[in-house]
Amino acid sequence: MKNQDISSSIDWITILLYIILVVFGWMTIYSVTVPPDQEYTFDFSLNYGRQMIFMIITIPIIFAILFVDSKIFERFSFVFYGVGIALLLGLFVFGVSKKGQTNWYQFGGFGFQPSEFVKTAVALLLSKYLSDAQVNLAKRNFQYIAFAIIGLPVFLILMQPDAGSAMIFLSLIFVLFREGLPGWYLWTGAIAIATFLLALIIKPIFLISFIGVFMVIHYIFNRLISRNPIVYGLIFIAISSFAFSVSYMYDKVLEPHQKDRINVLLGKDVNMKKEGYNLNQSMIAIGSGGLLGKGYLEGTQTKGGFVPEQHTDYIFTTVGEEWGFVGNLLVMSIFVCLFIRILYLAERQKTRFSRVYGYCVATYLFTHFFVNIAMLIRLFPTIGVPLPFFSYGGSSLWAFTIMLFIFIKMDANKVNEW
């Protein structure tokens, strides 16, 4: 594609949604981090000033992506993946520990989190692999390779340890499902999660009894389609064994902070001045906004600094306090429009590589969005997942920008695909 034609081929709707989210995100960061008594001067040493610098740097990044040959991303996908893995390995030697996690490189006053960028590398290599005409995810040998592509960075990130980032990579199973992975993988994962949580609430013997009755009823109503009773028995034994092992895993395997997060999620007794403090304050801030909010720069919880990490993981609480339910709904609607737009563009791609990559982008962004919002309203444990384009941080902003604009470039180039 000729560079002079690119403006007529790129999807401006996606770019507009991106700009709106980035600008609104910066406004929210400004509200959180500007000192209450500061006069109308711009301070680049504060977080809102630094975020502005990060935003300015995205401009040459965007132009660089839009004006390179889109085939580069497919041709060198393995190289990008290899560099990403090398960066993750390098953390064990050169990484800096923050809050018990060694997931950052530090260069002077600048921090760099490689796991954010590795998401794009994994998406590119996975898309390259799945675009091979011989790959059939219904066959196990192809499944294992796809799992390995995702699993290697997940293992390295869990070693940091950073369970939140690792979980984002695991969401790519939905992309594999879209491309032909058998559905029992999803069912197995969902049942395992549900069994784990229920076993912490209900005594295992009662839980197993309920599961047994359910499986008997299920078998009776489905035996006309040749359901094998042996398979039912094996499934029941597997679920029962897992349910009885939950208590051991909870007590002996999970770290104290992980137990606290699960306790908060399950509504168990927690100390609201310690492990439950962040969630409690975030819910107070969101609830205090009411329908229309207190007004921009007028949030008392925000200005009082009551919510920790409010410019990063808990940034959405500021939207709720200052803009109210209407503001929350508006921001969420913009995100949903972006997700739908990416999925729409992915479905109209002419190559499987571009389509799979588009689904990877949509999955990453949606998972970040869903988990970040859900953990603020007690639907998910607090695991430190930033809100795309909103949360403070150069690594997060640049990584999401690169990820999105690579797909925008692919979509712009579809007129040359056959």
Side-chain angles (χ1 to χ4, degrees), residues 148-261:
I149 292 173
I150 301 172
L152 179 56
V154 168
F155 172 76
L156 295 176
I157 291 170
L158 285 174
M159 293 290 289
Q160 295 174 0
D162 186 358
S165 295
M167 186 205 64
I168 300 299
F169 285 86
L170 295 178
S171 68
L172 290 177
I173 191 172
F174 293 105
V175 177
L176 298 181
F177 178 71
R178 166 64 178 79
E179 295 302 317
L181 186 72
W184 69 265
Y185 282 100
L186 291 179
W187 282 110
T188 301
I191 291 173
I193 294 172
T195 301
F196 181 86
L197 294 176
L198 288 173
L200 294 175
I201 302 173
I202 306 172
K203 289 185 177 181
I205 187 65
F206 295 125
L207 176 61
I208 295 306
S209 300
F210 172 79
I211 294 174
V213 172
F214 174 80
M215 293 188 69
V216 169
I217 295 174
H218 189 277
Y219 172 74
I220 292 174
F221 283 95
N222 288 275
R223 60 183 177 178
L224 295 179
I225 53 177
S226 301
R227 298 290 188 186
N228 191 333
I230 297 178
V231 174
Y232 274 77
L234 293 175
I235 293 175
F236 177 74
I237 292 173
I239 296 176
S240 300
S241 301
F242 180 72
F244 279 109
S245 69
V246 167
S247 178
Y248 176 83
M249 290 189 292
Y250 181 81
D251 293 330
K252 304 297 184 181
V253 178
L254 295 183
E255 297 292 335
H257 68 277
Q258 294 172 328
K259 296 178 186 178
D260 292 338
R261 291 169 180 175

Side-chain angles (χ1 to χ4, degrees), residues 182-414:
W184 69 265
Y185 282 100
L186 291 179
W187 282 110
T188 301
I191 291 173
I193 294 172
T195 301
F196 181 86
L197 294 176
L198 288 173
L200 294 175
I201 302 173
I202 306 172
K203 289 185 177 181
I205 187 65
F206 295 125
L207 176 61
I208 295 306
S209 300
F210 172 79
I211 294 174
V213 172
F214 174 80
M215 293 188 69
V216 169
I217 295 174
H218 189 277
Y219 172 74
I220 292 174
F221 283 95
N222 288 275
R223 60 183 177 178
L224 295 179
I225 53 177
S226 301
R227 298 290 188 186
N228 191 333
I230 297 178
V231 174
Y232 274 77
L234 293 175
I235 293 175
F236 177 74
I237 292 173
I239 296 176
S240 300
S241 301
F242 180 72
F244 279 109
S245 69
V246 167
S247 178
Y248 176 83
M249 290 189 292
Y250 181 81
D251 293 330
K252 304 297 184 181
V253 178
L254 295 183
E255 297 292 335
H257 68 277
Q258 294 172 328
K259 296 178 186 178
D260 292 338
R261 291 169 180 175
I262 294 176
N263 288 338
V264 171
L265 173 67
L266 298 178
K268 293 186 177 182
D269 291 335
V270 294
N271 189 336
M272 286 303 174
K273 293 184 179 180
K274 292 183 178 180
E275 61 269 16
Y277 179 80
N278 289 14
L279 178 61
N280 185 54
Q281 292 298 323
S282 69
M283 295 184 71
I284 291 174
I286 293 175
S288 67
L291 180 62
L292 299 176
K294 299 176 180 178
Y296 185 56
L297 300 176
E298 299 297 328
T300 54
Q301 294 290 115
T302 296
K303 292 305 178 185
F306 292 102
V307 183
E309 308 296 338
Q310 197 164 356
H311 61 300
T312 53
D313 301 339
Y314 287 84
I315 194 168
F316 200 68
T317 61
T318 302
V319 178
E321 183 180 22
E322 296 188 345
W323 302 93
F325 173 78
V326 173
N328 279 345
L329 185 61
L330 175 62
V331 172
M332 294 174 68
S333 298
I334 296 172
F335 271 108
V336 170
C337 288
L338 178 62
F339 304 146
I340 293 175
R341 187 65 184 177
I342 294 173
L343 292 175
Y344 167 76
L345 296 179
E347 282 298 330
R348 72 176 191 177
Q349 297 305 302
K350 295 183 178 180
T351 67
R352 191 179 185 186
F353 173 80
S354 298
R355 186 188 74 221
V356 174
Y357 181 78
Y359 269 93
C360 288
V361 174
T363 299
Y364 278 141
L365 293 177
F366 175 78
T367 305
H368 269 272
F369 165 80
F370 174 79
V371 172
N372 183 274
I373 302 299
M375 70 184 188
L376 300 184
I377 55 178
R378 211 167 184 171
L379 294 179
F380 205 89
T382 300
I383 55 175
V385 172
L387 187 61
F389 313 120
F390 244 76
S391 295
Y392 169 82
S395 293
S396 174
L397 177 61
W398 296 336
F400 284 125
T401 298
I402 291 171
M403 181 191 301
L404 178 62
F405 276 86
I406 286 177
F407 179 63
I408 291 175
K409 173 62 178 181
M410 291 179 184
D411 178 69
N413 191 57
K414 69 180 180 297

